[in-house]
């Protein structure tokens, strides 16, 4: 089944019988259009943290880069989720959007929790539990990326 992609970065569609968006809704939606820009940071930082932690698991010099990547990703993941919610103001509910929205919210919350953990317990940045959490988060980001791509480019965007 082919689904038509959304044009632009999730356009606001209104029929003639719907009231126009308020100034506040328009402003928040406009701010939300930063979502496609900001989302790339946690999308890159968390897998990079996992990679860095994996190759540097037994090297003390890798602790600082891992901590930086987890904290930076964790600071930007909730912001990215918030901007995504704002970007979707006025959009028709869609099953793809619903999954993307809630998976992104979960990624933002888990990312923030990992950031707090890495900040407060830097000696555990490459522990087995942190590695497992980064693996789960990275897998969730891959799935989330598919949903985001499907919203913008259509569900068949990854077809061979």
């Amino acid at each position: 089944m082919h689904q038509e992609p959304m044009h632009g970065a999730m356009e606001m569609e209104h029929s003639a019988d719907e009231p126009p968006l308020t100034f506040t809704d328009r402003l928040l939606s406009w701010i939300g259009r930063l979502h496609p820009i900001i989302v790339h940071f946690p999308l890159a930082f968390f897998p990079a943290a996992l990679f860095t932690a994996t190759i540097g698991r037994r090297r003390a010099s890798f602790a600082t880069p891992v901590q930086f990547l987890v904290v930076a990703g964790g600071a930007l993941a909730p912001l990215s989720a918030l901007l995504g919610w704002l970007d979707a103001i006025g959009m028709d509910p869609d099953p793809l959007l619903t999954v993307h929205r809630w998976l992104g919210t979960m990624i933002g919350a888990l990312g923030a929790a990992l950031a707090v953990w890495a900040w407060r317990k830097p000696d555990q940045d490459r522990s087995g539990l942190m590695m497992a959490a980064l693996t789960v988060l990275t897998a969730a980001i891959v799935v989330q990326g598919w949903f985001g791509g499907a919203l913008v480019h259509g569900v068949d965007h990854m077809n061979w």
Side-chain angles (χ1 to χ4, degrees):
M1 172 192 290
H2 175 76
Q3 178 179 346
E4 286 298 313
M6 294 180 181
H7 300 286
M10 298 193 204
E11 289 182 9
M12 294 177 287
E13 297 176 15
H14 295 284
S15 64
D17 58 338
E18 290 180 24
L21 292 176
T22 66
F23 173 80
T24 302
D25 285 344
R26 290 178 58 83
L27 176 64
L28 292 174
S29 176
W30 181 79
I31 292 168
R33 292 183 209 148
L34 292 170
H35 174 71
I37 298 166
I38 299 299
V39 76
H40 290 90
F41 290 98
L43 187 142
F45 287 165
F46 287 121
L50 176 61
F51 176 77
T52 305
T54 301
I55 63 168
R57 185 132 190 222
R58 303 208 191 298
R59 294 187 175 159
S61 63
F62 279 68
T64 301
V66 171
Q67 183 187 28
F68 168 78
L69 290 166
V70 173
V71 170
L76 292 170
L79 176 61
S80 177
L82 174 63
L83 291 173
W85 278 84
L86 294 177
D87 194 25
I89 288 174
M91 289 183 59
D92 290 330
D94 172 294
L96 287 174
L97 177 61
T98 299
V99 172
H100 184 69
R101 179 179 276 172
W102 289 106
L103 182 57
T105 300
M106 185 273 309
I107 290 169
L110 180 58
L114 289 181
V116 169
W117 182 19
W119 183 266
R120 290 185 171 195
K121 305 277 186 177
D123 57 315
Q124 296 178 11
D125 65 344
R126 289 163 294 146
S127 68
L129 189 55
M130 177 63 85
M131 301 280 284
L134 286 171
T135 300
V136 167
L137 193 56
T138 297
I141 287 169
V142 169
V143 172
Q144 179 71 336
W146 183 89
F147 277 99
L151 284 168
V152 176
H153 303 293
V155 295
D156 59 352
H157 72 284
M158 293 295 294
N159 288 0
W160 183 256

